Structure formats: C-alpha cells, structure tokens
Amino acid sequence: ARAEGTLTQASAQNEVISVLSSFAQEIKKPAAPSDDQALVALQEFAQRLGATEPASIKALPKVAAATKAQTDVVANIVGDKVCLGCHASQTAEFKTTLMGRIGITKPGKFTCESCHGPGSAHAHAGGGRGVGGIISFRPNDTSRTAEENNAICLACHLRGARTLWPGSVHEQRSLMCTNCHTIMKNVSPKNQLRTVEQPDTCYPCHQNIRAKFARYEHMPLPESKMVCSDCHSPHGSYAEKLLKKATVNQVCWQCHAEKRGPFLWEHPPVVENCLNCHEPHGSINENLLKVARGRLCERCHNAATRHPANPRNPVSIFAINGGCTNCHTQIHGSNSPGGIRFLR
Amino acid sequence: WAADIGPITPPPIYQGWYFTGDVDVGGRVFIQRPPTGFGYNSQGNFLLPFQTGSRAKFQEYGDILPGVFLDQFYVGAGSNDGRYNANVWGFDVGYNAQSYGLDLAQNGFQYFNLGWDQTPHLYSTSAKSLFANVGSTNLIVPDSIQNALQAQYGNATANTAAGLAARNAINRIVETNATNFDMSTIRDTFSVGYRITPTEEWDFNIFYSHQDKNGSKPGTLNYTFPAGFPSNVIGLPVPLNETIQTPEASGEYVGSSAWGRYTVQLAYDGSLYNNNISQLAADNPFSNTGAQLNFGTLRVPLAPSNQAHTFTAQGATDVPLFKSRFTTTNQWTRMTQNAAFLNTSNNGLVADPLPVASLNGQVNTFLTNNVLTSKLDYNVSNSLRVRYYERNNNTPVPVTPYTNQVFADSEISAGPFTPEYLSYNRTNIDEDLRWTTPLNWLTVGAGYGFERWNRTNRFTGITNQNTGLIFADARPTDTMNWHASYSYGARRYQGDYQIDIDAWLNSRMFDLANLNQQKAKVWFDWDINEYVTISPSAGLLWNEYPETTPLQTGVSKENSWNAGIQIAFRPLSNLKLMVGYNYEQQIMDMTAVVPDAVGAAPGNICNFPGFPPPDFNPYTVPSPCRWGDNMADTYHALLASADWKAIPGKLDFRVNYIASWGLETHDFTPCPSNNVNCNGVSVLGVPSGSVTAAQVGLPWPDNTNLFQRLDVTGRYYFDKDFVERLGWKGKVFFKLRYTYERNQGSYWQSDTVNAYFGTLTGNNELTGTSRSLWLAYNNPNYTAQIIAASLNFKW
C-alpha cells in the first residue's frame, strides 16, 4: 500500500476477502453452473457473515473434473466482488497501475471480467489456474492460443505503436502480450514490463543479444543509458528486424546525425547500411566493427592496383591504429571538394 | 433468509492523495582503483610489453568515483481517485551520467514529461599530444618544438649512426613536450513531451528534444602524400560542438465503419543537426615552414550541418472478408545539406574555383509498406506484405566538374572529378501462411519472400533474392514452449556485373554478389519441474558467395552460429540460482590479389602482361599473386546469479557474475612460398628495406578480451517498529555491495601505438621514411574493486 488512502482501500478489500473466504469454506462443494444467480445471492449473504479470519480458498479441494480446455464452459458475469474473495491482493496492486488508476476514474471500464472473462464457473469450481474457463493470460496456459489472448488486449490497444502488430514477426511467432507485460502490478517504471529494466524483458528469448552486450565494445545499454526500444519497435514495424525507422541508417542517425549527409562524395556501403561494417550489439573490435580494420575494408577492396589489396604487415602504418582510416578519415562520406578519396 | 440480508458494504470511497518515494544514498570506497593511464616508455620502443591499466574503459559511460553518491531518487504523488499523479526522479545525481525526469499525468487524458540526461563517452584518461591547445579548432604546436623536430626529421630515415641519433632526438623531444589529457565527449539531452487523449478516439503527441554534444574524440590526419614522399599520420583530438534537435508531432484517430475498426495516424519527425565547427586545422609537428612540400598546416572539414524531415501517414482497417486487417504505412523523408564547401587551397597549393559554393544536397526517400493479414480458416492465417522503399539522391551534379583540388594538403590533382550520387530502391514481397494444427498447441507455418534491389552507380544494377521460410511454434504442455525457424534464400544479380576492372579486377562485393543464405533459429523453454527451468537456444546465419567467374576474389563465406543455454534452479523456497552460457562463432573468408604496377621489374609474375585492360584478362591472375585471410571471431559468455533470502523479509543476498571472452583470429594464407612475396618476387637475399613488409604480408596476431564482473549485494531490512520509532513511515534497508570488475585485452592495432611515438611504412619503423605521431589513447585494461554502502528509504 502506497499511501493512507490506499491503505484505507486495502482495509476494505481485506474485509471483503475475509468474508468471501469464509463463504468459500461454507459452500465446500461447488454449485452447478446453472446456479449462478443463487451463487450471487449467497455471496451477498456471505458478506454479512462477518467472519474475521481470512482463510485460503486455495486450501480447499479443487474440482477434479475441471480441465484447462474450457471452451465449452458456460459462465456468467459475477462482478468484481466475487473475484476479490480470492484475489484481493492482486486487485489492490492492480489499482496502483496506470490502467488500474484509470479504472478507478471510469467505474465498470476495467472490471476483472473485462479481460478475464465471465467468472461464475471459475468461482463455482473453487478457483484455480485455468479452471472454469477463466482466462489466465499465463504464457504457458495451453487452453487458449496467443492470438485469442492477445485479441483481448488489442480490443483496446490496437492503435499507436500496436497498429503494426498484425503481421509482425512477434505476432507471427505466437508471442503473447503477457510474455513481455505484467498487467496486474508495476514492475517496471513504465509500460508495465515484466522486468525492471527493459532489456531484461527481451533477453530471455534473445540470449545471444545479451551475450553480445557483454562484449568489450558495446553501446551504453548495460549502463542503462539506452534501451532496446531506442532502435526497435517490438509491437511491429514497417522495416526489417522490427526497426523503429525505415532503414538501419535512419535508426543510427537518430544519435549519429553527423553521418547523415548527404555528402559530395558518398561511400556506397555506408549509404546503404551501417551494418555492412558495424555490429551494433557488441564486438571485440573498436567502434563496434565486424572485423579488424584493414581486413574490414579489404572485403571489398581486395584486388585494387593500389595499396588496399596488400596483405599488410601488422606493424605497418596501414594496419595499426585505425588501419585504412588512419588516412581515409572521412570514410562515412566527405563534403570536401578534395575528398574524393575520403582523405579530407 | 432474505429478510436477514442487511445493507451491502458500499463501494470504497477514494479520496485524498497518496505519496510515495524511494531514495538510495550512500558512499563507496575503492579497494583497487584503475590508474588514470600508463606511463610513457622512455625506451622509445613502440612495441611495449603489457601495459598498466587505465580507468578510461572502466568509466566509459559514466564516472565512478570514491565518496558519497545519491544513486537514485523517486518521489511520487497521486490522487486516490486515480485521476492525477506526478513523479520526479533522478539517477546518478551529481555525476556526469546523471538523468532527471518529471512526469505529470491526468490519467487517461493527458500526460506531460520533462527530461534531462547526460551521457558521457570517455575515450582516454591518458592521451598524449604535442598540441598546446587541445580542444581548439586550430591546434598549435609551439614553434620551438616544430623547429626542433624539423631539424631532426631529414636525418631520421638514414640507417646509420647519424640516423639513429636523429630518431632518438625526436623521441626525446616528443617525450619531453607531450602533455597528457582526457579525451571524452558528453551528450546533454533535454526533452519535453506532451500527450493528450481528449476522447477515446483521438490521441495527440508532441515531443521535442535538444541534444548538445561537446568534447573531443580521437582522430587522425595524414600529410605528405605525393609519390616519393612518406605517408605520415598525426593523431589529434577532434573537437566536437554540435546539436541535434528533434521535433516530433503525431495525431491518431480510431473509429468504426461498416467494415469494423479503423485507425488513421499522421506524424511528423524532424532531425536538425548543426555542427558549430566547420573545419579543423592542425600544425604539422614536423614542419614550421608552411611551404609546399613542407606542409605546415593540416586541414580537414568536419561533418556538415544537415536536416531531415519525415512525414508519415499510416492507416489500418478491418476488412470483412476472411476477418482481414489491412495496414498501410506511407512515409516521405527529405534530407538536406547545404554547408559551405571548404576552400581546399593550402600550403601554397591553389585550388581551382569551385563550380558551386555548397552542395545543395538533397535526398528524398519514399516508403510504402502494406500488410494484409487474414484468417482463411479459424486455424489458418495469412500475412502478405508488400514493401517498397526508394532513396533518390536529387543533389544537382555540377555542370563544371571539380578540378585541381588539394587532396591531402599536399597534393593537387587535376581531375576532372564528378560526383556519382547513389540512389536505390528496394522491393520486398513476403507471404506467410500459418496453421494452428488440430493439436492446438502446435502452430506451423511457411513463407516466401522476394527482395529486389535496384541501384545506380554500382557494379550491378539489380539483384533479386528469393527466400523460403518454414517455422513452428509449440506449447505441447504448460511447461514447454519452443520456437523454431529455418529459411533458405538465393540472391542473384540480374544482367551484367560491370566491375571497374582497373580498380577491382575480378572482385565480388558481398552486398552485390550472388549469395546463398541460410538462417535458422531455435529457442526452447522447459519447466522440468517446479524447481528447474532450462532454456536452450541456437541460431545460425550462413552466407555463401559462390564464384561466378574463375578465381574470383573477395568474401567467399560469412558464417555465424551461436548456441546457449540458461538454467534456472530453485533448490529452496528462499534460494534462486541461474546460470547461462552462450557461445558464438563468426567466420569470414576472403581472398585478394596483388597485381604489380605496370613497369615493375622483369620476371615479376604479377606484372600482368597487357595490364591494364582491355588486353589484360583478370581471370588469369596466377596464384602466387593471391593471398587469403580466414577470420574467425569466437565469443563465450557466462552469466550466473544467485538470489538468497537468508531471512525472508529481513536479510537477503544477491550475487551476479558475468564473464565475456572474445577472440579474433586471422588464419592468413600468404603467397605460395614464404620466399616469394605477394608480387611474385623472391625475397631471399634481398636487402632489408627493399622488400616491404606490406608486400610480404604477415599473419595478424590474435585480438583477445576477457571481461569479468562480480557483484555481491547484501540487504538488511530494518524492523518496521524500529523505523517508526525513528520517525520514518516506510521501509528502510541497508545495502552493502562488493564489486569486482576486470577487463583484460590484447589489441595489436592499438597496443603497438601505446608508446606514442614511432611508426613505419616498411619492415622496420626506425629506418622507415615516415614519422608519425599517435595519441596513444586506447588502453581498455583495468581492474577495479569497490565496496559501496547505502541506505535505501521507501515510503
């Protein structure tokens, strides 16, 4: 609880959980699905029982017949109060989130069943993960597909950056919103991510990228001065690799605008793609280069009649320090009338 | 019993405000702090043995200093009715990597935020230079030093006692007069954003950021370039004083039609780059005359100011047929640059008047990306993407070409030189079909992709690539989850490969040449039981460039693959362990040829008859003129962590360890015999200096790096009663942290210049003709041990 007001709210919820937990103990056996109306009445009655000791409904035996594939489960809306019987703490935490706060200002907009589906069968069955057709959103809940779960979120969120979600790589590969987002509580400072730091949300699937950022040369992502979404748009993109901009270069120019030009003398591989020479996630070479300078250039300049094609001794001025760029300093493009060789 | 039902508990009333916060304040001491840098080797040996450490890499992206710190603070407040909240936060307060933010929100309606961030980039704490005014745009070497070096320069190339004395004299002058300085840049970014959602249908965003970048970064300049003169390089700190402004605005409307829901978005993004320094001039340390062929002044233009403006129109709508949704993005970008050209006249060399005073550069790009997703059946979905991007360089080509311009402050070339601007377009068509099998937990799919590049002013105009893709995603049980994909693609150029045979002979370019490409990825996540979860993953990218002509040079193979595993183990309810390992190998094979110039010594088999074209046949370059290098980068990364709640709610410990080891090797294939250089000439009995090292070609040493970091953190949570008796309402914990961090690398390209002075063009720098000066700035090695203690207050 964050503050006095919230504490008051939490106290009220504790009271509710207390009485409903007692009620749950009272009913022992679940009512038939058709008894929803009676159940609601019983719940209201249970509220007045005034039991003071909360008891865990999870300690009660679950319905043996309940299975996770509950597509044929008939259930009705029972209202938030019923859910509070078992989920008061989650609800209290949810109300500290942005969506929860908006829910307070707009009663009825964010009820539990708005997202989790009708809960009567779930309550009848005594609760439990996936029981009674409740929508759990757990990534490993096999009773529903990713598409089915995501559709619930996208009913409101198919806009903004998510406009490009349909057809995106993450959508095509059956990722769920809840693979990355934790809806019911604040873990990250923003965007309801499942981890405090954004890259930690991405790393479980992109383990190789995490390894790259541990290399000697890296952009300041491990130092928390950058995040993955500075370059990538995980919800969908109009470019490859879920990039934020139309091309790799336009992504890089966000920070490295001095390399944008246009220049009088252009270097073709630079114009087309920074990744022709650079490995942005981490490298053993200076300036995030793919291989040591000299060889980097000789990948293309490998048969010239001038000096570039020479294999070069490791103590040569053409190999040490910046290699070719010792002289060709303007390799990203030159705006000097004398810069045709990128020397100036 | 209905009569017994009394009043039902009314819904909770939300009133008042809540306040929350988090402050972490403490101090740190170093058990071992990296030094500012290594000392100069008075022996003048450019190949120094292992260096001492430097704190530059350790503090690359932010100072880590002994003393007090305010690691973070966060103060938040909000109304309990959920309408309003405000947050103020800061990190690394008072340090050069500090950042602060203010967020104000009327939840669900409008949001306002302010931010300020500093991001430094420290290159060196031990750079050395003879320039007296580092940071200036006109770097000056005092006359007395120039005169002293100039006096020795002419004698230094001789392989005699006098030559040796001159070289030693240069060393002493440099050693005596070079000064140490820090070399770093810092970005200061201020940002402000506002978002309003007046109704559920409308959403507007505006954002603006202003970034200043100041400091200096390492650079080099070459001089004395004409034939017959040595090529010297001067390392120098390049000053930075530039700004990037980023204005953005967007609006969105979401509505409903007979087809379903639709979205319309319009956006503008700007990027205004201004470089306050147009050029950098530097004295030639070896010459004080400034006359032609003594090259007194080195000069280089710096990045020109430029702008980019992007307009985006994006829309999406449901389509009734097959539950489809169509999304289209159309984007126009204009990039312009019109900075005044540098007058290249220098050192007595007079350049021709320029045809235009500035470039008036203009590049226009257009993107259209269209995606149609459909549900052909409840279990079958389809995705079709058609994308077209074009870059049109509309910069006017000057009617009068550029002639007689000074190229390296020492060489005037007649020309004419006419720029060849680059334009291209790229078309992609991708079709993916996905089927959720009757198993329900298994989804399989297949796809086809077509990509066409159409370029101007490259060796080939059009390349076409066709790619097939298969993938599968499965959740067979609620404890297993895996994704796998494989694709094979073939790229072929269309029409001629019009290579510039004079300059490139029989080369293939990796971005243009024919390509056979394979990609695969697999990721698996398995909760073996409630205690253990394993997550192995692997991937490969296989690029093979087949020969299209005999004995073709260039990159023939560029392959990489990786494999890793992460294991999470929870042996006790209060103990979580994790260990992860990742291996990656990147391989790149290339070959090259070294033809000799026309008129080389008779008998030189690489002095190709008939060279240059058209009589010369590039496909008959004999093998003695060919060399190769197979490069391999190998990486290992080990991560481990432990989270132990020794006394739950009272005392916990967290341990993190990371080790990253990298190795770059060069498997060099010299010309066939060690006695034959790459020009086909026997080097047996040839006096030292007659055959250059560049011609012989030696294997490059390995580059290696090992980075390790260990963090051990203990937290002790004070009793709530105790805290309250002290007058604090909230949580307080004490944090003690030990950090060990070490980076150890071997980089022959920079290690060899760490001694500041000494360079070469031949086998031996001491008898070579060049005299270059380096900054000797790069030393990434360090070891640091820190103990930090802090108190954290939460309320």
Side-chain angles (χ1 to χ4, degrees):
Chain A
R2 288 173 176 261
E4 195 172 347
T6 311
L7 286 168
T8 306
Q9 171 193 342
S11 299
Q13 288 163 345
N14 284 337
E15 192 175 339
V16 173
I17 190 175
S18 172
V19 294
L20 282 179
S21 296
S22 299
F23 159 72
Q25 287 183 317
E26 289 286 322
I27 61 176
K28 299 270 188 195
K29 281 188 175 182
S34 57
D35 288 343
D36 285 333
Q37 205 168 357
L39 176 64
V40 173
L42 279 170
Q43 288 159 350
E44 292 175 350
F45 169 70
Q47 285 191 17
R48 298 195 304 104
L49 293 180
T52 55
E53 292 297 321
S56 172
I57 196 170
K58 290 185 186 294
L60 297 173
K62 291 208 169 59
V63 181
T67 63
K68 291 181 177 176
Q70 295 285 358
T71 52
D72 56 346
V73 168
V74 176
N76 298 313
I77 299 291
V78 295
D80 284 359
K81 285 182 180 175
V82 177
C83 308
L84 286 170
C86 297
H87 303 289
S89 61
Q90 291 100 318
T91 307
E93 200 148 15
F94 175 68
K95 289 187 186 301
T96 67
T97 68
L98 178 59
M99 212 152 71
R101 286 175 187 153
I102 296 173
I104 297 172
T105 66
K106 298 177 180 177
K109 186 172 175 65
F110 296 137
T111 66
C112 306
E113 290 158 303
S114 299
C115 300
H116 293 281
S120 63
H122 177 67
H124 273 299
R129 286 182 169 178
V131 174
I134 203 73
I135 301 169
S136 72
F137 292 101
R138 284 183 302 115
N140 58 358
D141 181 353
T142 56
S143 66
R144 295 171 59 83
T145 65
E147 188 180 358
E148 289 167 341
N149 277 353
N150 292 347
I152 294 167
C153 306
L154 293 172
C156 297
H157 292 283
L158 188 56
R159 59 187 304 175
R162 278 81 51 196
T163 302
L164 293 162
W165 174 258
S168 69
V169 172
H170 282 166
E171 188 264 350
Q172 289 283 297
R173 306 312 307 279
S174 305
L175 257 73
M176 294 186 193
C177 304
T178 49
N179 280 121
C180 303
H181 296 282
T182 299
I183 313 304
M184 298 298 292
K185 60 183 177 181
N186 287 319
V187 176
S188 63
K190 286 186 177 178
N191 302 322
Q192 300 288 121
L193 296 175
R194 57 185 282 183
T195 58
V196 178
E197 301 283 347
Q198 189 199 82
D200 291 333
T201 296
C202 309
Y203 285 157
C205 293
H206 301 280
Q207 293 175 24
N208 189 44
I209 301 299
R210 175 172 59 186
K212 287 184 175 184
F213 272 109
R215 293 176 187 170
Y216 148 69
E217 280 286 296
H218 59 258
M219 282 191 270
L221 188 135
E223 289 80 8
S224 301
K225 304 302 280 187
M226 284 182 75
V227 290
C228 305
S229 62
D230 285 337
C231 301
H232 299 280
S233 180
H235 297 110
S237 161
Y238 40 77
E240 59 200 312
K241 302 286 183 186
L242 293 176
L243 293 175
K244 273 179 73 174
K245 302 286 184 179
T247 65
V248 169
N249 287 21
Q250 289 185 27
V251 171
C252 303
W253 292 335
Q254 291 178 113
C255 296
H256 303 282
E258 76 279 3
K259 296 180 174 64
R260 182 166 50 209
F263 295 101
L264 171 60
W265 308 107
E266 294 181 316
H267 190 191
V270 176
V271 168
E272 286 188 7
N273 196 336
C274 302
L275 304 187
N276 281 330
C277 298
H278 297 279
E279 166 52 67
H281 298 118
S283 168
I284 195 174
N285 294 298
E286 254 193 297
N287 298 319
L288 296 171
L289 292 174
K290 285 179 135 180
V291 293
R293 278 179 286 210
R295 292 290 184 267
L296 184 84
C297 310
E298 285 168 329
R299 291 179 304 156
C300 292
H301 300 273
N302 51 56
T305 55
R306 303 188 185 93
H307 55 277
N310 287 335
R312 298 301 173 197
N313 188 303
V315 292
S316 160
I317 189 176
F318 302 114
I320 61 170
N321 196 52
C324 305
T325 56
N326 282 336
C327 299
H328 300 280
T329 55
Q330 307 296 304
I331 204 64
H332 293 106
S334 171
N335 204 49
S336 169
I340 188 170
R341 300 176 194 155
F342 306 114
L343 298 167
R344 289 290 184 271
Chain B
W1 43 264
D4 295 332
I5 298 177
I8 294 174
T9 308
I13 298 170
Y14 300 103
Q15 56 187 3
W17 292 74
Y18 68 82
F19 299 92
T20 183
D22 187 341
V23 174
D24 196 87
V25 60
R28 75 170 68 83
V29 293
F30 278 84
I31 301 173
Q32 186 176 7
R33 190 181 187 203
T36 54
F38 42 78
Y40 177 66
N41 184 334
S42 60
Q43 300 303 311
N45 182 355
F46 77 99
L47 283 169
L48 276 181
F50 182 72
Q51 307 289 346
T52 61
S54 165
R55 73 180 56 146
K57 193 71 184 173
F58 175 61
Q59 298 185 160
E60 183 176 21
Y61 294 122
D63 282 349
I64 302 169
L65 306 175
V68 296
F69 61 76
L70 178 53
D71 229 16
Q72 60 164 332
F73 74 83
Y74 164 80
V75 179
S79 60
N80 287 323
D81 63 6
R83 292 184 190 282
Y84 307 101
N85 67 280
N87 305 313
V88 182
W89 50 264
F91 291 98
D92 287 328
V93 176
Y95 282 69
N96 66 351
Q98 59 196 330
S99 58
Y100 305 91
L102 166 68
D103 304 315
L104 304 174
Q106 185 179 356
N107 296 320
F109 181 61
Q110 55 183 341
Y111 305 86
F112 174 81
N113 57 68
L114 278 175
W116 177 48
D117 174 83
Q118 280 194 318
T119 301
H121 189 171
L122 178 61
Y123 294 96
S124 179
T125 54
S126 55
K128 295 167 182 288
S129 177
L130 289 177
F131 296 113
N133 54 342
V134 169
S136 166
T137 57
N138 186 15
L139 297 168
I140 293 171
V141 178
D143 287 350
S144 58
I145 300 174
Q146 280 184 305
N147 290 333
L149 289 172
Q150 187 173 312
Q152 302 296 333
Y153 186 82
N155 300 322
T157 58
N159 192 15
T160 61
L164 179 62
R167 292 190 292 274
N168 287 338
I170 291 174
N171 269 347
R172 280 195 300 274
I173 295 166
V174 172
E175 183 181 5
T176 306
N177 294 286
T179 53
N180 277 28
F181 63 98
D182 288 0
M183 192 161 43
S184 65
T185 63
I186 189 160
R187 292 174 189 260
D188 278 89
T189 307
F190 164 79
S191 63
V192 56
Y194 177 70
R195 178 186 176 194
I196 185 168
T197 311
T199 67
E200 290 195 358
E201 291 80 18
W202 290 98
D203 193 348
F204 298 96
N205 273 283
I206 56 173
F207 175 81
Y208 171 79
S209 73
H210 180 106
Q211 182 179 100
D212 281 330
K213 189 176 178 185
N214 293 288
S216 58
K217 64 178 182 180
T220 51
L221 272 178
N222 70 314
Y223 67 104
T224 59
F225 214 73
F229 291 88
S231 297
N232 290 357
V233 175
I234 299 296
L236 71 177
V238 178
L240 269 78
N241 183 355
E242 55 193 30
T243 60
I244 303 174
Q245 297 178 75
T246 309
E248 296 176 5
S250 64
E252 179 186 62
Y253 179 79
V254 178
S256 296
S257 70
W259 281 13
R261 197 162 56 161
Y262 67 90
T263 304
V264 177
Q265 298 165 340
L266 296 173
Y268 162 77
D269 299 290
S271 174
L272 315 175
Y273 168 75
N274 185 51
N275 192 346
N276 296 312
I277 308 173
S278 60
Q279 63 167 299
L280 171 65
D283 281 351
N284 180 351
F286 290 108
S287 171
N288 192 29
T289 63
Q292 188 176 349
L293 300 184
N294 282 317
F295 319 116
T297 304
L298 315 173
R299 205 160 49 131
V300 63
L302 299 181
S305 300
N306 62 63
Q307 298 188 359
H309 304 275
T310 298
F311 296 90
T312 306
Q314 184 164 276
T317 181
D318 291 341
V319 180
L321 198 62
F322 295 117
K323 295 183 179 177
S324 300
R325 188 162 177 86
F326 175 69
T327 307
T328 181
T329 306
N330 297 279
Q331 190 176 82
W332 298 263
T333 298
R334 171 165 290 183
M335 293 175 267
T336 59
Q337 185 272 109
N338 203 24
F341 283 143
L342 177 74
N343 182 347
T344 63
S345 297
N346 198 20
N347 292 320
L349 298 166
V350 180
D352 281 353
L354 300 169
V356 288
S358 58
L359 184 65
N360 194 21
Q362 182 176 304
V363 169
N364 298 317
T365 71
F366 169 66
L367 165 76
T368 181
N369 184 68
N370 302 281
V371 180
L372 179 68
T373 56
S374 309
K375 295 281 287 185
L376 305 180
D377 175 75
Y378 186 78
N379 292 320
V380 180
S381 59
N382 183 70
S383 170
L384 173 66
R385 172 193 294 251
V386 178
R387 184 181 189 271
Y388 175 80
Y389 175 82
E390 66 178 21
R391 177 193 197 265
N392 290 317
N393 192 330
N394 296 321
T395 303
V397 178
V399 176
T400 306
Y402 298 83
T403 54
N404 291 321
Q405 296 300 310
V406 181
F407 280 70
D409 302 330
S410 59
E411 178 188 10
I412 195 159
S413 291
F417 298 104
T418 304
E420 293 182 337
Y421 303 127
L422 299 161
S423 297
Y424 68 85
N425 62 61
R426 180 184 177 190
T427 305
N428 290 83
I429 300 172
D430 297 299
E431 162 66 30
D432 288 340
L433 204 59
R434 190 176 53 167
W435 176 42
T436 303
T437 66
L439 295 172
N440 206 39
W441 51 263
L442 175 64
T443 300
V444 297
Y448 164 74
F450 170 77
E451 179 175 88
R452 165 175 288 193
W453 284 76
N454 191 349
R455 301 164 164 102
T456 61
N457 290 325
R458 299 297 304 275
F459 299 139
T460 189
I462 295 175
T463 61
N464 298 314
Q465 180 163 342
N466 293 281
T467 302
L469 165 73
I470 53 173
F471 60 87
D473 306 296
R475 290 187 294 160
T477 72
D478 61 1
T479 61
M480 285 187 187
N481 192 359
W482 60 267
H483 302 269
S485 66
Y486 171 79
S487 70
Y488 179 84
R491 182 181 71 195
R492 298 291 180 266
Y493 60 83
Q494 181 178 315
D496 294 332
Y497 197 91
Q498 304 271 2
I499 202 156
D500 179 352
I501 210 160
D502 184 10
W504 269 274
L505 293 179
N506 186 20
S507 174
R508 72 198 125 181
M509 302 287 158
F510 63 84
D511 56 340
L512 303 175
N514 289 350
L515 164 70
N516 298 326
Q517 184 179 68
Q518 296 182 74
K519 290 182 186 175
K521 279 184 183 175
V522 61
W523 180 84
F524 182 60
D525 190 55
W526 182 23
D527 298 327
I528 295 175
N529 54 41
E530 60 183 303
Y531 306 110
V532 181
T533 300
I534 64 168
S535 308
S537 65
L540 70 83
L541 172 60
W542 230 252
N543 286 335
E544 307 275 356
Y545 302 90
E547 280 190 344
T548 50
T549 54
L551 298 173
Q552 203 166 28
T553 60
V555 178
S556 59
K557 183 167 75 176
E558 192 175 2
N559 296 344
S560 69
W561 68 277
N562 66 82
I565 187 167
Q566 181 173 302
I567 302 171
F569 179 42
R570 191 168 186 166
L572 302 167
S573 62
N574 61 344
L575 177 62
K576 287 189 284 189
L577 304 172
M578 189 282 288
V579 61
Y581 169 75
N582 193 278
Y583 174 84
E584 178 167 0
Q585 187 181 52
Q586 300 170 355
I587 295 169
M588 188 182 296
D589 293 354
M590 59 161 285
T591 55
V593 297
V594 186
D596 208 352
V598 177
N604 183 344
I605 59 173
C606 299
N607 182 18
F608 307 119
F611 189 86
D615 297 332
F616 168 66
N617 180 359
Y619 308 140
T620 59
V621 176
S623 57
C625 312
R626 298 166 65 87
W627 60 274
D629 195 0
N630 298 339
M631 294 155 275
D633 284 9
T634 305
Y635 297 98
H636 303 263
L638 174 68
L639 301 96
S641 69
D643 194 346
W644 179 35
K645 298 191 185 323
I647 307 173
K650 195 75 179 168
L651 179 65
D652 60 53
F653 296 94
R654 185 163 181 84
V655 179
N656 283 309
Y657 176 73
I658 183 168
S660 174
W661 184 72
L663 167 69
E664 179 170 301
T665 61
H666 293 259
D667 184 9
F668 180 71
T669 307
C671 302
S673 165
N674 289 331
N675 297 329
V676 178
N677 74 9
C678 275
N679 292 77
V681 175
S682 169
V683 297
L684 287 176
V686 176
S688 175
S690 298
V691 177
T692 66
Q695 290 174 318
V696 174
L698 296 174
W700 283 3
D702 294 345
N703 279 343
T704 62
N705 196 87
L706 174 60
F707 171 80
Q708 296 176 86
R709 181 184 173 92
L710 171 69
D711 267 318
V712 182
T713 306
R715 288 187 181 85
Y716 176 79
Y717 295 82
F718 292 97
D719 285 338
K720 186 180 175 185
D721 292 344
F722 174 73
V723 171
E724 286 182 351
R725 279 202 298 275
L726 295 177
W728 188 260
K729 193 173 183 181
K731 288 182 181 175
V732 179
F733 65 80
F734 173 74
K735 185 167 68 175
L736 188 65
R737 178 174 174 177
Y738 167 78
T739 302
Y740 170 86
E741 193 173 301
R742 178 180 173 86
N743 192 64
Q744 213 61 54
S746 170
Y747 299 94
W748 60 270
Q749 286 183 302
S750 54
D751 291 349
T752 52
V753 297
N754 275 352
Y756 178 72
F757 172 72
T759 184
L760 54 137
T761 54
N763 287 331
N764 186 327
E765 87 287 2
L766 296 179
T767 56
T769 52
S770 294
R771 287 290 167 265
S772 294
L773 302 177
W774 306 98
L775 292 172
Y777 71 93
N778 193 11
N779 183 357
N781 300 313
Y782 64 86
T783 304
Q785 294 186 76
I786 309 170
I787 290 181
S790 64
L791 276 174
N792 186 284
F793 302 86
K794 289 186 193 298
W795 67 93

